[in-house]
Amino acid sequence: MALTEFSLIKQFFADATQKRQDVIVDIGDDCAVLSCPEDSNIAISIDTLVSGIHFFADVDPYTLGHKSLAVGLSDLAAMGATPAWFTLALTLPELNENWLSAFAEGMATLAAEHDIQLVGGDTTKGPLSISIQVHGLVKKGAQLQRSQAKSSDKIYITGTLGDAGAALQKRLASWQPEILSEADWSFLTKRLEQPTPRLAISQKVLPYVNAAIDISDGLLADLGHILAASGKGAKINLDAIPLSPSLEKIDRKRALELALSSGDDYELCFTVPAEHVPAIEALNLDIQQIGEITDEQQMVLLNENGQPSLLDITTKGYDHFA
Ligand code: ADP
Ligand code: MG
């Protein structure tokens, strides 16, 4: 039987994710109805991924399903929220069962890892585009805001930076240093196509953090948003920026440029008051202290000798309308 809008929703989305107790009315009615615990507020964020802009039209639909949800989960992590529910607005050029089934599976696999339930959406015909709105729960007053960085806070980041940017450069600019092996490229490509939302780390560091953001547009651009919102500056030790073993292999200047100004890593950047540093370090997480917040409203990059660096960082993240 030919796939229709309604059979598509039923087949691929109505039972795609596990059911949560706090969903009063599920997919199939005009609205979903959700129950929020009394001690929490709801954090909401929406992201749209457009074919040809945010992903290549020929990308593996499984990884696309993963990434479409991962970018929203990353926003919840940056806010200190716990994932709860999401909605999905899908615009499809055609009804392709194989594509839909892989897309739904990639999305649902990540949803299961984070106990987030798909509770509604919209399905339309047109150029391929995916919007996911995530809803998370955050204990009243506990949200992590960009505006809350304080002078002398230590700046931390999760994971490694620049990996997704390297994979993008390969695809867009045929940049392919010989030193990188097949295994390096499959690692880097996975970092671009299937980012890991840092929810586990976010929940653990939450009690100690002043300000946080997720790095979707590059460290300089996104840390810049924390600094602008907080009216502060920062000193960054370039030597402390964590690079993956793959990026360690390439020219160091190039690796640092990728780490500082390429997007799509979906790591977290957060600031911690000095008195909480021992507690944060004792957690033994995949995080690295890279610098500190200053009163002077500028960003200074220090090289290994503690001297201001001459790295020429011209691109400060992606601006759709630039
Ligand atoms: P309405 O006409 O009331 O907007 P729709 O026909 O768009 O309803 O959708 C019917 C039901 O299916 C609704 O509960 C809606 O939330 C859900 N739904 C539609 N598209 C999707 C989708 N892509 N993923 C999940 N749920 C969807
Ligand atoms: Mg609708």
Side-chain angles (χ1 to χ4, degrees):
M1 203 185 77
L3 208 53
T4 65
E5 180 188 331
F6 294 100
S7 63
L8 167 157
I9 295 166
K10 197 162 181 319
Q11 185 176 342
F12 297 109
F13 299 111
D15 297 306
T17 56
Q18 71 287 9
K19 304 295 177 192
R20 287 172 58 103
Q21 298 268 314
D22 51 12
V23 176
I24 314 297
V25 179
D26 199 346
I27 288 176
D29 217 312
D30 296 305
C31 292
V33 177
L34 312 164
S35 164
C36 176
E38 214 148 275
D39 65 350
S40 299
N41 288 323
I42 300 181
I44 296 185
S45 172
I46 188 164
D47 279 289
T48 298
L49 273 63
V50 178
S51 179
I53 308 282
H54 301 94
F55 60 90
F56 299 103
D58 62 355
V59 74
D60 173 0
Y62 181 96
T63 68
L64 184 60
H66 173 109
K67 185 161 182 174
S68 302
L69 179 59
V71 298
L73 290 173
S74 176
D75 284 322
L76 292 180
M79 214 64 199
T82 307
W85 318 290
F86 70 105
T87 54
L88 164 69
L90 255 186
T91 304
L92 301 166
E94 54 172 358
L95 297 184
N96 176 332
E97 281 202 48
N98 291 335
W99 191 95
L100 277 164
S101 151
F103 174 85
E105 197 189 333
M107 184 188 74
T109 302
L110 185 65
E113 274 173 44
H114 297 287
D115 192 26
I116 187 167
Q117 181 177 337
L118 178 62
V119 294
D122 198 22
T123 308
T124 51
K125 184 168 178 171
L128 180 59
S129 148
I130 301 141
S131 292
I132 285 188
Q133 183 167 49
V134 291
H135 304 66
L137 298 172
V138 58
K139 289 269 155 50
K140 286 182 175 165
Q143 70 276 0
L144 305 176
Q145 291 174 241
R146 298 176 180 187
S147 58
Q148 299 305 305
K150 305 284 184 289
S151 297
S152 80
D153 276 4
K154 302 299 178 191
I155 301 167
Y156 280 85
I157 53 172
T158 60
T160 58
L161 296 181
D163 301 320
L168 203 55
Q169 282 305 304
K170 175 174 184 250
R171 179 77 197 246
L172 288 178
S174 304
W175 171 81
Q176 202 164 351
E178 267 166 33
I179 187 100
L180 294 179
S181 66
E182 284 281 311
D184 288 317
W185 284 118
S186 79
F187 164 77
L188 295 169
T189 304
K190 185 151 191 211
R191 292 275 290 153
L192 175 65
E193 293 183 350
Q194 288 186 268
T196 307
R198 299 298 185 187
L199 285 152
I201 294 181
S202 153
Q203 284 304 305
K204 291 191 183 114
V205 302
L206 181 60
Y208 309 110
V209 170
N210 273 344
I213 194 167
D214 67 326
I215 306 177
S216 54
D217 292 327
L219 176 65
L220 294 188
D222 289 314
L223 174 58
H225 294 317
I226 288 188
L227 301 182
S230 301
K232 301 291 176 197
K235 270 190 223 160
I236 302 293
N237 301 312
L238 292 176
D239 245 21
I241 305 269
L243 301 174
S244 64
S246 299
L247 278 209
E248 288 280 10
K249 290 184 184 175
I250 68 167
D251 172 64
R252 180 156 180 82
K253 184 162 174 284
R254 184 70 201 253
L256 278 177
E257 283 169 359
L258 285 168
L260 293 174
S261 29
S262 68
D264 278 300
D265 284 314
Y266 295 98
E267 297 295 346
L268 298 179
C269 173
F270 56 92
T271 81
V272 177
E275 77 253 33
H276 291 322
V277 164
I280 285 268
E281 297 287 346
L283 294 170
N284 265 317
L285 300 170
D286 180 16
I287 59 174
Q288 174 72 36
Q289 190 183 125
I290 59 160
E292 106 181 7
I293 298 291
T294 58
D295 265 327
E296 233 184 316
Q297 290 184 32
Q298 57 177 11
M299 213 183 310
V300 180
L301 306 177
L302 302 171
N303 65 21
E304 63 270 30
N305 306 316
Q307 297 300 312
S309 166
L310 300 176
L311 260 192
D312 175 27
I313 303 300
T314 42
T315 45
K316 273 208 161 187
Y318 189 72
D319 178 347
H320 281 273
F321 295 100

